[in-house]
Structure formats: structure tokens, C-alpha cells
Amino acid sequence: REVDTFVNTHTIEFGGVPARVFTMTDITERKHAERKVRENEERLNEIIQTSPIGFAIVDEESDDRVFVNQAMATIFGYETPEAFKSASPAERWVDGDDAAFMRDIIERTRRVENQTIRRRGVDGNIFTALMNTAPITYQDRRSRVVWLIDISDRVEMDNALRESERR
């Protein structure tokens, strides 16, 4: 059986003669736990990165996007999450009043649940999305996670259905 150990040594005097004392600590359980945590983090990252739902983490103090998955970038028409992270959030709102309304909700409650919003992609196209946010601590900072689902197709189908029912 293999055992992970931590070895510590220091010099002492023993019977007037310099000697070295070695201590060994079995850290097998700790190494196993660390490996499991790392595997879980990798699995969670893979789930988030491959999700069709836009996902971002926003630092509440700076309002910077500190993490963005590919789906979020794609929803807004950016090729990479890094390109979306560096873009101005204000430019993606269709209506400044909507942006102010969402900021007010987030400041008061720190949560948004199933809010229908209109946003603008990098190409100028306007889309309808369902937005949720929740407070989290990320890298020891007060942050919020944002989920965004483009529901434009569903809204168009609902509108077309209502129109056909009116006829």
C-alpha cells in the first residue's frame, strides 16, 4: 500500500552530539480529499462550460464580469468569453430604463428571478432573454451569478400564435 507522507526534519543536540530528528505524518487521506475536490471542480467547470444556458459571475464592487461561459458569449454574438468579458455591459441594454430597473432590483434584493428582459447583441440585433441572478462569494469577493436564456424564438412563436388566434 502506498502512503503519502509529509516529512519534517530539524537538528538537535542529543547527548552532546548533533543529531537529526525526523517526523513523518501520514497525509494520504488529505491527498485523497484534495484529489476529489479537484475532480469535482473540473467536473463542475465542464458542466458550466458546456451548458446551453448563459452563465456569468459579476464582481459586485467593480461590476466586472470575472467569469463567463461560452453560451453567454454566444448569446450576445461574441466568439469567446474573453471578448464578452471585456465589452461594456451598458452597450448591451436595449433600454436604459430596463438597465436601471434591473440594477435597482439587484441592489435591493440581490436576486432576480425569471425576469424577461430585452438585450442587444454585438451585431445590434435585439433579443428577449430570461434572466436570473443570485448572490455568491467568488474568490473571496462579494459577487453575483447570472443565468441568461435567449427566449426570442419562444416569444416570436407565442406572438405568432396569438396573432393567428385573432384571425
Side-chain angles (χ1 to χ4, degrees), residues 58-78:
V58 179
D59 182 288
E60 288 195 343
E61 186 176 312
S62 67
D63 212 31
D64 289 339
R65 300 173 186 122
V66 293
F67 177 88
V68 176
N69 74 349
Q70 183 61 51
M72 183 70 87
T74 301
I75 288 169
F76 282 91
Y78 290 91

Side-chain angles (χ1 to χ4, degrees), residues 142-156:
R142 194 173 144 161
S143 302
R144 69 181 170 273
V145 62
V146 179
W147 295 272
L148 199 72
I149 303 169
D150 183 345
I151 60 170
S152 299
D153 291 341
R154 186 177 82 191
V155 169
E156 284 181 32

Side-chain angles (χ1 to χ4, degrees), residues 56-163:
I57 298 174
V58 179
D59 182 288
E60 288 195 343
E61 186 176 312
S62 67
D63 212 31
D64 289 339
R65 300 173 186 122
V66 293
F67 177 88
V68 176
N69 74 349
Q70 183 61 51
M72 183 70 87
T74 301
I75 288 169
F76 282 91
Y78 290 91
E79 288 190 30
T80 66
E82 291 73 28
F84 180 66
K85 281 170 57 175
S86 63
S88 168
E91 294 173 4
R92 304 288 61 97
W93 286 98
V94 172
D95 183 344
D97 290 342
D98 285 349
F101 175 73
M102 294 307 291
R103 266 194 306 279
D104 181 57
I105 291 174
I106 291 168
E107 286 173 9
R108 282 186 296 107
T109 68
R110 297 195 68 217
R111 291 188 177 276
V112 172
E113 293 182 1
N114 297 321
Q115 183 69 44
T116 302
I117 59 172
R118 292 181 38 204
R119 300 297 303 265
R120 185 183 316 278
V122 69
D123 61 2
N125 286 337
I126 295 172
F127 63 92
T128 305
L130 190 64
M131 180 175 161
N132 288 272
T133 70
I136 63 167
T137 300
Y138 182 74
Q139 298 179 339
D140 297 324
R141 295 188 53 90
R142 194 173 144 161
S143 302
R144 69 181 170 273
V145 62
V146 179
W147 295 272
L148 199 72
I149 303 169
D150 183 345
I151 60 170
S152 299
D153 291 341
R154 186 177 82 191
V155 169
E156 284 181 32
M157 284 189 284
D158 287 348
N159 290 340
L161 180 62
R162 271 196 296 277
E163 181 64 31

Side-chain angles (χ1 to χ4, degrees), residues 5 8 37 54 77 92:
T5 57
N8 191 12
V37 167
R92 304 288 61 97

